[in-house]
Amino acid sequence: MSEFSMTIDGGGAATETAFPVTNPATGEVMAEAPESTRGQVDEAMSAAARAFESWQYDRPLRQKALKDLASAVEANLEELAEVITMEEGKPLGESRSELGDVVNDLRYFATLEVPAEIVRDDERTAVRVLRRPAGPVAAITPWNFPLGTAVAKIAPALAAGCTVVLKPSPYTPLSCLRFGELSRSVLPAGVLSVLSGSNEVGSWMTEHPVPRMVSFTGSVATGKRIAASSAPDLKRVILELGGNDPAIILDDAVVDDIADALFANAFANCGQVCVAIKRVYVPDALHDELVEALVSRAKAAKVGDGRLEASEIGPLCNQMQFDRVSELVGDAASRGARVAAGGHAIDGPGYFFEPTILTDVDDGLRIVDEEQFGPVLPVIRYDGIEEVLKRANATHFGLGASIWTSDAERGSALAPRVDSGTVWVNTHQSAVPGQPFGGVKWSGIGVEGGPWGLLSFTEVQAIHVAK
Ligand code: NAD
């Protein structure tokens, strides 16, 4: 792979040190990424503060720039897809689809307006409420959708009039670095800087006096640290954190109708999706049929290097995640779980793990209670609706959930009783343009997507005029 450079104040930034980025399908180093210094964080923040002065007032420029960024991504889509697949592992088709979301986000927020609201307008008094951009934003993102999670912040933040300093995960910095390079000919200097480096670079950003907001996507543990480090300066935080989404199968569901969608929504991106199905609750009467359907799909799935078009499931993204998944499966097996499919790492280079279905599991087991973030799905029996709702909600997580039934109205009526930011009925992970997305409890603070996502990057200003 060619060189990748950081973008600071509209140009490339040289660094003395670099760190290796590994292709998870081969276990080999595919490229090096620059390691940002603390001084470069300062430079990027100063540039963001300078650019904010005029960017916040120039909506036509913002609209044009977001549309031009979308076109730049489209024009480079195949190269970016290959970079995402090589740094993260997902099959090329999934990388293209991530980039499709990136293009859609940029175009959606380019035209989304936030109208002023009138509270009163009579002979004596006029009160209107504006939404002003929050200020420079520190954006910090994870590795599972390297460019998708970044642009889910950049697009609404820039549209709202904020400027952004982005730091992607050190496992997958390359697609964001390339996006930064593409942005140089589209955005005014300082509007978007892209740094790369270790977790420490992220903490320099959240502690820095310039950003007025930290927008973070990643794990619950890091989200708590970021909330704590943003507190002394009262920075606003948006936290999009982990999940442990339950899929609740109702007794009227038809297994043949739902098995493909259940499997796909548990194993897409090798299970490394914040809103993947991470535990399935099924009534006794449907248990065996559902397990058989999932097992046959797990055994048939083609696992391989994401660059091969035949591959349906790629490797886990990194050694840390590979070790974690191996540990959770080992723990479950040692505590009486039945491995109905898979259960082992795949021999050879790369972080490949067999698609795994576990049965004879229950709440209290780590694989059920924790976020596995990998190609492993526990199937759990339940007896009645009240019981399963209680068990689905008995967790610190609250990102997504789904209800599967042949009666969509019945599912829809139960949905508000699940404690999560999104509840799907007969689907999971689906979103239409304009739909908000966020978590409750430990799964996050604030939302992305739709008008709510844009408003997240603003502050309310009331203007009260005595006539
Ligand atoms: P992570 O929390 O380990 O790292 C995320 C980012 O935070 C990285 O860029 C990392 O360098 C940085 N970071 C780490 N420590 C920091 C600190 N002290 N200060 C500032 N920055 C710091 O998460 P991960 O392992 O990369 O991502 C996986 C997690 O992300 C999963 O839990 C997944 O569910 C979650 N996720 C959530 C969403 C969502 O929208 N809710 C989307 C994707 C992923």
Side-chain angles (χ1 to χ4, degrees):
M1 283 252 147
S2 57
E3 299 284 301
F4 294 83
S5 63
M6 303 198 301
T7 298
I8 299 179
D9 203 10
T15 47
E16 278 174 16
T17 45
F19 60 92
V21 179
T22 301
N23 177 346
T26 61
E28 286 169 9
V29 174
M30 62 175 280
E32 294 210 315
E35 177 75 35
S36 173
T37 62
R38 192 166 197 152
Q40 286 172 318
V41 172
D42 287 338
E43 283 172 35
M45 291 299 176
S46 299
R50 276 195 304 277
F52 181 65
E53 287 173 19
S54 55
W55 177 252
Q56 62 179 314
Y57 298 117
D58 198 342
R59 183 156 186 272
L61 176 61
R62 302 204 298 267
Q63 290 188 307
K64 180 176 181 321
L66 285 171
K67 288 178 191 163
D68 289 350
L69 263 181
S71 302
V73 171
E74 256 175 353
N76 293 276
L77 198 132
E78 279 308 311
E79 190 218 340
L80 284 166
E82 194 174 336
V83 172
I84 292 176
T85 290
M86 286 185 69
E87 65 182 351
E88 201 272 347
K90 68 186 59 165
L92 274 171
E94 290 188 32
S95 296
R96 292 186 190 112
S97 146
E98 178 173 341
L99 290 163
D101 290 343
V102 162
V103 170
N104 290 343
D105 270 351
L106 291 164
R107 294 214 168 111
Y108 173 79
F109 285 107
T111 53
L112 189 65
E113 284 206 52
V114 186
E117 288 176 65
I118 308 295
V119 178
R120 175 168 299 184
D121 191 8
D122 59 24
E123 315 77 60
R124 298 161 67 94
T125 309
V127 178
R128 67 185 201 280
V129 176
L130 303 185
R131 291 290 191 149
R132 305 178 74 223
V137 173
I140 300 175
T141 49
W143 43 260
N144 60 334
F145 289 89
L147 197 53
T149 51
V151 172
K153 304 179 182 314
I154 292 167
L158 297 192
C162 299
T163 52
V164 175
V165 177
L166 168 72
K167 190 202 84 73
S169 166
Y171 291 114
T172 56
L174 304 177
S175 50
C176 286
L177 290 170
R178 184 66 86 227
F179 180 79
E181 291 165 9
L182 293 173
S183 77
R184 290 178 201 165
S185 58
V186 175
L187 296 173
V191 164
L192 173 68
S193 290
V194 182
L195 307 176
S196 52
S198 61
N199 299 349
E200 193 178 30
V201 177
S203 63
W204 294 334
M205 289 167 62
T206 61
E207 290 160 8
H208 201 279
V210 162
R212 291 314 313 146
M213 170 174 278
V214 178
S215 179
F216 171 74
T217 299
S219 64
V220 170
T222 308
K224 289 181 179 182
R225 272 182 221 120
I226 283 180
S229 70
S230 304
D233 188 32
L234 294 182
K235 289 184 178 72
R236 279 46 176 164
V237 288
I238 301 173
L239 303 175
E240 300 290 346
L241 309 179
N244 191 13
D245 290 15
I248 302 171
I249 317 299
L250 299 189
D251 53 7
D252 62 2
V254 176
V255 167
D256 267 355
D257 292 348
I258 65 173
D260 279 340
L262 279 178
F263 186 80
N265 283 295
F267 290 89
N269 198 20
C270 198
Q272 302 162 117
V273 183
C274 53
V275 279
I277 294 174
K278 297 190 176 125
R279 45 192 175 129
V280 174
Y281 288 94
V282 61
D284 271 340
L286 295 178
H287 177 272
D288 292 355
E289 189 187 352
L290 182 73
V291 168
E292 195 184 319
L294 292 173
V295 164
S296 71
R297 283 160 181 78
K299 288 185 173 162
K302 295 192 178 59
V303 180
D305 188 327
R307 279 178 298 170
L308 306 172
E309 293 286 348
S311 299
E312 294 166 345
I313 299 178
L316 286 150
C317 174
N318 50 62
Q319 182 78 51
M320 173 202 67
Q321 201 53 33
F322 177 84
D323 291 345
R324 174 165 171 78
V325 167
S326 308
E327 182 185 320
L328 287 179
V329 171
D331 177 75
S334 73
R335 287 165 195 271
R338 186 172 81 84
V339 181
H344 300 101
I346 297 174
D347 277 347
Y351 308 126
F352 291 99
F353 202 93
E354 293 171 337
T356 298
I357 306 291
L358 299 177
T359 66
D360 299 1
V361 287
D362 218 337
D363 308 357
L365 213 56
R366 289 184 63 197
I367 192 67
V368 178
D369 292 357
E370 297 180 20
E371 180 184 38
Q372 64 273 47
F373 222 56
V376 183
L377 186 62
V379 181
I380 310 147
R381 296 172 189 267
Y382 77 86
D383 283 330
I385 291 289
E386 293 306 318
E387 174 214 321
V388 75
L389 287 173
K390 209 167 168 185
R391 291 167 70 183
N393 289 336
T395 167
H396 284 301
F397 293 105
L399 195 56
S402 53
I403 297 171
W404 300 77
T405 167
S406 52
D407 179 353
E409 276 183 30
R410 182 179 173 216
S412 181
L414 285 173
R417 296 187 59 193
V418 183
D419 299 338
S420 61
T422 306
V423 183
W424 287 275
V425 175
N426 292 333
T427 183
H428 205 109
Q429 296 190 31
S430 311
V432 299
Q435 184 173 326
F437 176 76
V440 302
K441 298 193 275 186
W442 285 6
S443 288
I445 294 177
V447 292
E448 292 184 339
W452 301 271
L454 186 66
L455 294 181
S456 295
F457 288 98
T458 66
E459 300 267 24
V460 168
Q461 182 181 51
I463 300 188
H464 183 127
V465 181
K467 290 185 181 171

